[in-house]
Amino acid sequence: MKRYLLLAALFFSATASQAQDSLFIRKIYDEALVNGQAYDNLRYLCKNIGQRLSGSAGAEKAVTWSKKLMDGYGFDKVYLQEVMVPHWVRGAKEQAYIIDGNKKIAVPIAALGSSAATPANGITANIIEVKSIKELETLGESVIKGKIVFFNGAFDQRFIETGAGYGAAGVQRFAGPSAAAKYGAVGAIVRSITPALDDYPHTGGTVYVDGVTKIPAAAISTLAANKLSNMLRLRKLPLIKFYFKQNCQTLPDVRSYNVIGEIKGSENPNKFITVGGHLDSWDLAEGAHDDGTGVMQSVEVLRILKTTGYKPKNSIRAVFFMNEENGHKGGIKYAEQAAADKEEHIAAIETDEGGFTPRGFSFEGASPAFIKQVNAKFKNLLEPYEADRLVEGGGGTDIGPLKETVPAIKLIGFRPDSQRYFDIHHTANDVFENVNKRELHLGAAAIASMVYLIDQHGLN
Ligand SMILES: [Zn+2]
């Protein structure tokens, strides 16, 4: 009989705790939807500061403004964490033509981040299309040498989560140019990694392998890629040439900063839950969805928790990471410092998939048993807000290094709806106007709710 009483007591305390959680999450959403500030903050970041590529004046301005923003919210601690970052500049706008006999057809390209410049008068060469690095390798040096390689692997439309399509097609951007250089290519043109068909080239970092010639590399819009591919199919090789000119440059590294705000834990001040995004952006636009929305949601999480009078058990941090796009030095620095300061970290949540309607969270490297357990604990609390997909999956680039330096940390990715993100990702179209206020604020509330639940109940 006693055993049943104990079970009943446990049941009622669990139910009471669920009721309390459910009320508090409602409070978080009310605050976000009625008084949310992420959207106005994002407008300032996009319109008054704009592009924030690492090492640029925009990045420096963004750091100063972000610290002031956090200071204004009166968090327990606000500070800058110094980090040296690469300083790559695009220079004057790129030019490119398909040359068909004496016809020149202009096509939109954008140099890939970290890319080398072409010679001052550009490069003109025969161009050869491949669909993958594997195909490049089968052609080998006898075919590739002296040519521009055109990587035209298309974004696979069949993926439901577009992030998976991005990862799959992305290989040719990250690794293609260096692979082509190994066979003597003089330049690389990469199809933009997007499910959309339009005239926006999508930039993004490429990685040069040490000891391999750094050939100039650029992204081409998907419409232009289709046109070039059709022309190559219809004509014999020597008739079609390609010309491009780009003026980018890698300058010496620059001192920059992660911007960090903190609410101190009432029970475990040296245990942390981090929520972050990246402050830097590509230079073609305003870095609205990538990742202005993420940083503004992160600070909004702290603001909501503070405004609602929540006293966290553990310390909660918002981190604006610097240099995610072309080096992730900010993420590496944060992880190193956490280890040096012997901090315990329960979890880190990254929001870097755009400010779209929240769907849920992914838990990096989580076992099926863990996913089952986290669903049993939290799913019904998030279900009314349609942010209850709790699945195994990636955490994020900025928080990734923490798993090397901090034992037992759980890395979590915030997962908004992914259907529109890669239409504008890394393009001139990643602007404030493409962000929806309610979607952005729902995301901040979803993340704040997850932070609250982890703070209350842990993840084990
Ligand atoms: Zn990003």
Side-chain angles (χ1 to χ4, degrees), residues 127-131 148-153 172 187-191 220 224-226 228-230 232:
I127 185 156
I128 180 134
E129 176 178 342
V130 297
K131 293 280 168 52
I148 295 168
V149 172
F150 167 38
F151 288 95
N152 194 30
Q172 62 188 348
I189 296 294
V190 183
R191 181 187 181 91
I220 187 168
N226 285 357
L228 177 58
S229 180
N230 280 334
L232 286 168

Side-chain angles (χ1 to χ4, degrees), residues 278 289-291 324-325 352-353 421 425-426:
H278 62 90
H289 277 291
D290 189 15
D291 181 23
E324 190 272 346
E325 295 294 5
D352 184 20
E353 307 278 325
Y421 186 50
H425 181 251
H426 295 183

Side-chain angles (χ1 to χ4, degrees), residues 32-159:
L33 291 171
V34 178
N35 302 314
Q37 297 185 8
Y39 188 70
D40 285 340
N41 288 336
L42 181 67
R43 180 192 289 114
Y44 191 95
L45 182 70
C46 290
K47 297 304 177 191
N48 295 53
I49 297 172
Q51 75 86 7
R52 311 173 290 283
L53 190 55
S54 291
S56 67
E60 200 181 328
K61 230 168 127 183
V63 165
T64 308
W65 174 76
S66 299
K67 176 157 188 303
K68 227 168 80 187
L69 178 74
M70 289 199 200
D71 281 334
Y73 284 134
F75 303 141
D76 297 328
K77 202 170 150 190
V78 174
Y79 61 103
L80 300 180
Q81 186 173 66
E82 189 181 312
V83 57
M84 294 302 287
V85 296
H87 187 196
W88 178 84
V89 293
R90 183 172 305 277
K93 194 169 163 46
E94 305 83 349
Q95 282 180 301
Y97 304 106
I98 302 168
I99 302 170
D100 182 11
N102 48 20
K103 239 182 16 201
K104 272 196 207 167
I105 302 159
V107 287
I109 64 160
L112 295 182
S114 305
S115 174
T118 57
N121 52 356
I123 290 178
T124 305
N126 285 325
I127 185 156
I128 180 134
E129 176 178 342
V130 297
K131 293 280 168 52
S132 64
I133 293 177
K134 211 168 161 190
E135 188 184 345
L136 172 90
E137 284 164 349
T138 62
L139 295 175
E141 194 172 332
S142 61
V143 178
I144 300 299
K145 201 174 160 69
K147 296 196 180 81
I148 295 168
V149 172
F150 167 38
F151 288 95
N152 194 30
F155 194 103
D156 189 336
Q157 301 284 354
R158 293 171 298 176
F159 288 108

Side-chain angles (χ1 to χ4, degrees), residues 10 26 44 161 171 211 242 245 260 292 296 379 385 457:
L10 277 174
R26 184 64 252 183
Y44 191 95
E161 285 263 14
V171 179
F242 196 83
K245 174 171 150 61
I260 303 175
M296 290 310 134
K379 188 179 174 70
Y385 306 97
H457 306 290

Side-chain angles (χ1 to χ4, degrees), residues 327-343:
H328 25 99
K329 300 289 189 207
I332 293 166
K333 177 70 191 194
Y334 183 72
E336 282 173 359
Q337 199 59 48
D341 294 343
K342 299 196 165 49
E343 293 170 354

